[in-house]
Amino acid sequence: MAAIRNEIPLDVENTAMGSQLEALNQWVMDVARLTQPDRIQWCDGSDTEFEELVQQMEADGTLLPLNSETHPRSWLHRSHPDDVARVEHLTFVCTTDREDAGPNNHWMAPADARAKMDALFEGCMRGRTMYVIPYCMGPIDSPLSRCGVEITDSPYVVANMRIMTRMGAAALARIEREGSFVRGLHSIGELDPDRRFIMHFPEELTIQSYGSGYGGNALLGKKCHALRIASHQARNEGWLAEHMLILGVENPKGETHYIAAAFPSACGKTNLAMLIPPEGYRNAGWKVWTVGDDICWMRPGPDGRLYAINPEAGFFGVAPGTSEKSNPNALATIQHDTIFTNVGVTADNQPWWEGLDNRVPSIDWRGNAYDFNAGPAAHPNARFTVSARQCPSWSPKAEDAQGVPISAIVFGGRRASLVPLVFEARDWTHGVLVGAAMGSETTAAATGAVGVMRRDPMAMKPFCGYNFADYFSHWLSFDKPGAKLPKVFHVNWFRKGDDGKFLWPGFGENLRVLEWMIGRVEGKAAAQETPIGALPRAEDIHLDGVALSDEARSVLFGFDRAGWQAEFDSLAGFLDEFGERLPGALKEEHGRIAAELRT
Ligand code: GTP
Ligand code: SPV
Ligand code: MN
């Protein structure tokens, strides 16, 4: 349908679409009247459309072609140097009642937010093209999927949305069938950090983003829709929208267990989702299948188990640290048809980032000659955008309309001290407390200080579209008669020794921990009971071939009672922030464990 309309104003009669789409047409026209673009382009997701966009972006320097022999059909995009990550302090949840957004969100009254945004959007697309992007989050035929339409003035956003979502004609047809969709309006504006806001109106299923062209701020299908708005919808409709990877672990008998894991931004989801088993495991027949690397939508199936889909169609992955050694599957995935954002380049125009290999780059992410003393070649939050289908470990079940059944849910974060390698929650309620208690050191995925410990419940601190107290209640509500809920675990790949180095080798070796979890699910693996949950002793996990110091062994598999008492004291303070709204069951669970820790 690739209808390109140059004339403004539009009227409904002018559009080539059925009456079911009247609401969409009306909204597009309203937006055009406000933002005053020179032209409007409805995106159909076709190859021709993509090629035209790329040509245009190559011509104006938005996309720089990379070495076509080593990286065919791949490009470098350099963002504005002040626009390199999510901006949590400028991200708002605008509910009628402030308490519905909760202390975990920045809140603005809907009318105030709308007035502020209208003023910013007014005439902002003059001289630009306005793109209308219909998209579907999740397999196009899945009952768990949801649709949206993003309006943007950024062709870079269109190209990324085409990789990250099911975009175009099929999504528009589903919208026409269903009638409802999430409305996202985006403009890069002036890319001025002082005129930048990411607003969410969950009650109206609406998103408004102005002033940034980067990742989660601008690709509205991702964090804004699939997490903030979807978490709100999921609460009303009885499902979960989570910041989780989904992977399948296939054992030598050919049985596959699916695991969903919530780690905060830049804390290892992409890496775990694409794990390649250590050699011995590989030879024995173990395989890992990737279903998703960032977002998981799940809901109870007829058999009482939780079934999960990945709403995304691509990866927007962290480049720095990605190497043949750490994540060979990711590296294989990004050899062609990939958009790199804010990486460096070598003298022969190949993309390069810290941790890739020992070559020396020639140009840094800002486009300056590389100077070792002037900072890294790649921005620490440099990313690649690539279709998930290119991943060698991409699961054949990833397109399954019913989703995959989840055997285990894993929480985890960057914790240099206290938290052992892995432990298992006693039951669902304890598991929800373990998720609510998550803490992690901040990373470059958002602007602000890096390495600061903060509470990040279920890795959703930046992404939960409503009050965390209600979110914890929603999680608890899944434990009802007939439910066959997954076991809940907590992991920490980031424990450091006295020398400040990581004690656990991580990456592929993490399969040993997944194997123990599956053993627990199947009732086969042993553990030691402690007040914080069931911990494996070193002998309960297969560690053959892993060189661990005595310090590593005692710390990774150890339980520090005094340390956990202090942790539970601090957790009490955090939970108190939610006041009366905090579910009593969570408070009681905390009190029970705190008391056990004191005896
Ligand atoms: P978002 O896309 O921001 O949500 O992040 P993510 O959770 O997918 O993070 P990703 O897998 O890209 O990991 C980010 C960083 O963590 C990279 O620098 C990795 O090298 C590092 N990392 C991942 N897994 C491990 C691990 O097992 N051990 C150690 N030490 N580092 C890891
Ligand atoms: C994250 O920050 O968790 C990401 C990257 O996955 S972004 O899409 O920019 O939010
Ligand atoms: Mn993420």
Side-chain angles (χ1 to χ4, degrees):
M1 64 145 284
I4 298 173
R5 297 182 188 81
N6 300 304
E7 72 280 14
I8 291 178
L10 297 165
D11 14 87
V12 182
E13 296 82 65
N14 266 347
T15 63
M17 293 170 296
S19 60
Q20 295 298 318
L21 290 175
E22 222 168 282
L24 171 57
N25 278 313
Q26 195 59 55
W27 173 59
V28 170
M29 284 185 290
D30 289 346
V31 169
R33 257 177 229 115
L34 176 66
T35 60
Q36 297 288 309
D38 277 13
R39 55 199 288 280
I40 301 175
Q41 181 169 336
W42 288 76
C43 300
D44 65 1
S46 66
D47 291 345
T48 327
E49 175 184 87
F50 182 72
E51 276 150 30
E52 281 171 14
L53 277 171
V54 164
Q55 264 177 26
Q56 174 199 325
M57 286 190 280
E58 284 186 1
D60 71 12
T62 303
L63 290 185
L64 309 169
L66 290 163
N67 186 320
S68 62
E69 268 156 46
T70 60
H71 292 77
R73 296 172 306 282
S74 298
W75 297 269
L76 165 64
H77 171 72
R78 294 196 184 109
S79 77
H80 190 286
D82 289 331
D83 183 32
V84 293
R86 282 183 297 100
V87 282
E88 294 181 4
H89 61 297
L90 303 173
T91 299
F92 290 77
V93 169
C94 309
T95 44
T96 310
D97 183 349
R98 183 180 199 136
E99 286 304 307
D100 289 339
N104 45 301
N105 279 304
H106 299 293
W107 175 85
M108 201 179 288
D112 295 348
R114 207 160 286 117
K116 196 183 226 355
M117 297 309 277
D118 279 355
L120 290 170
F121 280 117
E122 196 177 341
C124 74
M125 295 188 190
R126 273 195 199 104
R128 296 181 189 168
T129 299
M130 178 173 119
Y131 302 92
V132 182
I133 312 170
Y135 63 85
C136 179
M137 300 309 292
I140 197 85
D141 57 347
S142 171
L144 283 77
S145 301
R146 291 289 186 279
C147 290
V149 176
E150 173 166 0
I151 296 180
T152 180
D153 54 9
S154 161
Y156 165 82
V157 164
V158 181
N160 278 268
M161 285 290 284
R162 182 173 186 264
I163 298 172
M164 296 304 296
T165 73
R166 280 87 171 169
M167 160 187 143
L172 190 62
R174 182 166 169 157
I175 290 170
E176 181 160 21
R177 224 171 36 245
E178 291 183 337
S180 101
F181 61 97
V182 170
R183 292 159 195 235
L185 171 55
H186 168 254
S187 171
I188 55 173
E190 306 86 354
L191 295 174
D192 174 357
D194 293 327
R195 286 164 57 81
R196 180 175 295 162
F197 290 100
I198 325 293
M199 300 284 190
H200 303 75
F201 305 88
E203 291 151 358
E204 280 124 64
L205 306 184
T206 294
I207 304 155
Q208 295 196 340
S209 166
Y210 187 91
S212 165
Y214 205 92
N217 300 333
L219 311 178
L220 302 186
K222 198 173 174 61
K223 306 299 181 171
C224 300
H225 178 164
L227 289 176
R228 298 194 191 95
I229 299 288
S231 62
H232 173 97
Q233 284 183 298
R235 180 193 175 206
N236 292 337
E237 299 170 9
W239 48 285
L240 289 164
E242 299 299 326
H243 191 202
M244 292 177 175
L245 67 91
I246 310 165
L247 60 74
V249 183
E250 182 179 332
N251 69 17
K253 287 186 276 181
E255 303 156 343
T256 304
H257 278 284
Y258 293 92
I259 297 177
F263 307 154
S265 302
C267 289
K269 290 185 298 301
T270 303
N271 280 270
L272 190 66
M274 298 179 189
L275 181 151
I276 292 190
E279 201 183 346
Y281 281 79
R282 230 161 39 235
N283 293 341
W286 289 81
K287 284 195 199 100
V288 168
W289 299 102
T290 309
V291 179
D293 84 323
D294 197 47
I295 303 181
C296 164
W297 287 356
M298 55 189 163
R299 74 157 152 207
D303 59 358
R305 300 185 73 185
L306 289 181
Y307 283 78
I309 61 162
N310 170 14
E312 301 191 282
F315 308 124
F316 182 63
V318 177
T322 307
S323 71
E324 191 51 48
K325 197 161 172 283
S326 67
N327 194 345
N329 274 329
L331 208 60
T333 308
I334 59 182
Q335 291 311 300
H336 62 95
D337 296 279
T338 304
I339 299 172
F340 295 87
T341 302
N342 290 347
V343 299
V345 286
T346 59
D348 64 346
N349 205 27
Q350 296 188 44
W352 194 90
W353 48 83
E354 278 64 25
L356 174 60
D357 53 32
N358 54 19
R359 288 174 300 168
V360 177
S362 72
I363 301 178
D364 72 12
W365 65 277
R366 296 168 191 263
N368 298 327
Y370 174 67
D371 169 3
F372 179 84
N373 298 311
H379 186 277
N381 192 38
R383 300 227 169 206
F384 50 79
T385 319
V386 69
S387 167
R389 289 189 308 263
Q390 292 181 201
C391 182
S393 57
W394 186 236
S395 166
K397 294 277 185 196
E399 291 287 338
D400 210 317
Q402 299 309 316
V404 294
I406 300 296
S407 300
I409 287 177
V410 184
F411 295 120
R414 285 180 189 262
R415 294 295 296 263
S417 59
L418 183 67
V419 182
L421 181 63
V422 57
F423 63 91
E424 177 195 330
R426 213 163 285 106
D427 55 21
W428 186 256
T429 302
H430 181 208
V432 175
L433 180 70
V434 169
M438 263 172 68
S440 196
E441 291 142 26
T442 52
T443 66
T447 57
V450 168
V452 181
M453 217 311 267
R454 70 163 180 183
R455 296 277 163 207
D456 190 349
M458 281 85 167
M460 285 288 278
K461 169 73 183 71
F463 308 120
C464 184
Y466 62 103
N467 191 322
F468 260 155
D470 301 337
Y471 173 73
F472 300 147
S473 298
H474 184 52
W475 264 83
L476 291 169
S477 76
F478 286 83
D479 189 5
K480 53 183 169 217
K484 292 200 186 69
L485 293 168
K487 272 190 180 293
V488 179
F489 298 88
H490 188 284
V491 299
N492 179 20
W493 314 140
F494 300 95
R495 187 74 185 259
K496 286 183 178 167
D498 290 337
D499 60 0
K501 296 204 174 115
F502 292 125
L503 289 171
W504 175 249
F507 303 102
E509 307 298 340
N510 292 336
L511 182 67
R512 299 169 188 278
V513 176
L514 301 183
E515 181 192 17
W516 179 78
M517 290 176 190
I518 291 167
R520 295 295 291 174
V521 167
E522 293 180 337
K524 291 175 190 158
Q528 172 193 7
E529 297 298 332
T530 78
I532 61 159
L535 265 71
R537 286 154 298 218
E539 61 267 30
D540 297 326
I541 288 197
H542 289 136
L543 291 173
D544 36 298
V546 186
L548 289 181
S549 63
D550 290 344
E551 181 199 12
R553 258 168 212 269
S554 76
V555 157
L556 291 170
F557 302 100
F559 162 62
D560 166 7
R561 184 178 291 268
W564 279 101
Q565 283 172 357
E567 176 76 2
F568 267 69
D569 288 347
S570 117
L571 182 56
F574 173 67
L575 295 176
D576 280 345
E577 287 172 28
F578 299 95
E580 287 301 303
R581 214 148 157 154
L582 189 79
L586 213 57
K587 240 189 158 89
E588 280 159 31
E589 187 68 11
H590 173 274
R592 192 182 62 68
I593 296 171
E596 216 180 301
L597 282 165
R598 282 192 298 270
T599 57

